[in-house]
Amino acid sequence: MKITYTAKKVNLRENFKERAAKKLAKFEKLFSENATANVVVTLEKNRQTVEITIRDNGMVYRAETTMSEMNDALDKVTDILMRMIRKNKTRLAKRLKSGSLDDFITEIPSTDAAEADDEEETYEIVRKKQVIIKPISVDEAILEMNMVNHNFFMFLNADTGEMNVVYKRGDGNYGLLEPSAD
């Protein structure tokens, strides 16, 4: 597994990188040798945030946590990733057997902010993403949403051929948004 480290407002020590590599080595048996892991560490007001994103065969696994110590945050985020993978193990096995998607999210840095014409409020776009749309089922979309730890996921519904959004509701269940002309 190829590991990339990104430090924001902090300098990463070699012992942290070695510890992260050792923790991520536990995941190597679950992924192909082409898997990539991106470890992002951010320091904000004496709080350390560690985010790990693993990409393999079109699947994205992401978790992040914030703690006062960088090593504690690393331990917690790897535990979260392992629980997430275990929780979805059967669905992932079924998905990987049926084929995989290419990377579906390509981040594009925002170059300018968009402003609304509304006089009372202005809105600023601080991040843009391009989403590569491939036809998938609703269950696969929910799985993808859970793997990237988001509250919603836009996808092309393989059954209807329409753009849909799945989302996590406050009660822990899931919702599906479908377009309608009415």
Side-chain angles (χ1 to χ4, degrees):
M1 179 182 304
K2 181 184 174 205
I3 303 172
T4 306
Y5 299 95
T6 306
K8 297 178 182 177
K9 300 180 185 178
V10 67
N11 292 324
L12 294 181
R13 295 190 175 133
E14 282 303 313
N15 65 350
F16 175 81
K17 290 180 181 180
E18 290 170 7
R19 183 181 178 108
K22 185 177 177 183
K23 291 275 187 185
L24 290 172
K26 295 177 183 177
F27 292 96
E28 285 182 350
K29 62 184 174 190
L30 302 172
F31 301 108
S32 71
E33 65 247 8
N34 297 330
T36 60
N38 188 19
V39 179
V40 179
V41 181
T42 308
L43 172 65
E44 298 231 0
K45 298 181 182 179
N46 297 326
R47 303 285 295 167
Q48 313 266 343
T49 300
V50 176
E51 173 187 334
I52 298 177
T53 305
I54 301 173
R55 295 178 189 269
D56 186 35
N57 292 329
M59 293 291 291
V60 179
Y61 310 86
R62 180 188 170 278
E64 81 174 60
T65 191
T66 302
M67 301 187 93
S68 59
E69 293 293 323
M70 189 183 311
N71 287 334
D72 293 340
L74 176 66
D75 293 344
K76 181 77 172 171
V77 79
T78 53
D79 289 345
I80 291 169
L81 272 172
M82 189 57 79
R83 276 196 312 272
M84 188 185 308
I85 291 169
R86 280 189 193 132
K87 179 180 173 186
N88 293 296
K89 182 180 176 185
T90 55
R91 285 187 248 173
L92 285 172
K94 179 180 167 187
R95 168 84 186 274
L96 292 174
K97 286 180 184 173
S98 66
S100 62
L101 298 174
D102 295 331
D103 288 340
F104 63 95
I105 295 179
T106 307
E107 292 187 27
I108 297 179
S110 177
T111 55
D112 57 77
E115 293 185 13
D117 293 333
D118 190 358
E119 293 178 9
E120 295 177 20
E121 292 186 59
T122 59
Y123 299 101
E124 182 179 352
I125 304 294
V126 296
R127 187 174 182 183
K128 273 188 183 179
K129 286 187 179 182
Q130 278 189 340
V131 181
I132 298 171
I133 304 297
K134 304 259 181 165
I136 59 175
S137 70
V138 174
D139 288 341
E140 288 174 322
I142 291 171
L143 178 62
E144 290 281 350
M145 177 183 67
N146 288 335
M147 293 281 78
V148 294
N149 201 21
H150 286 174
N151 293 325
F152 66 92
F153 187 79
M154 181 177 68
F155 68 103
L156 182 63
N157 191 324
D159 296 332
T160 65
E162 295 179 329
M163 292 300 300
N164 289 174
V165 175
V166 290
Y167 63 96
K168 188 172 249 180
R169 297 171 41 93
D171 62 5
N173 292 315
Y174 299 99
L176 176 66
L177 300 177
E178 296 177 314
S180 173
D182 296 337

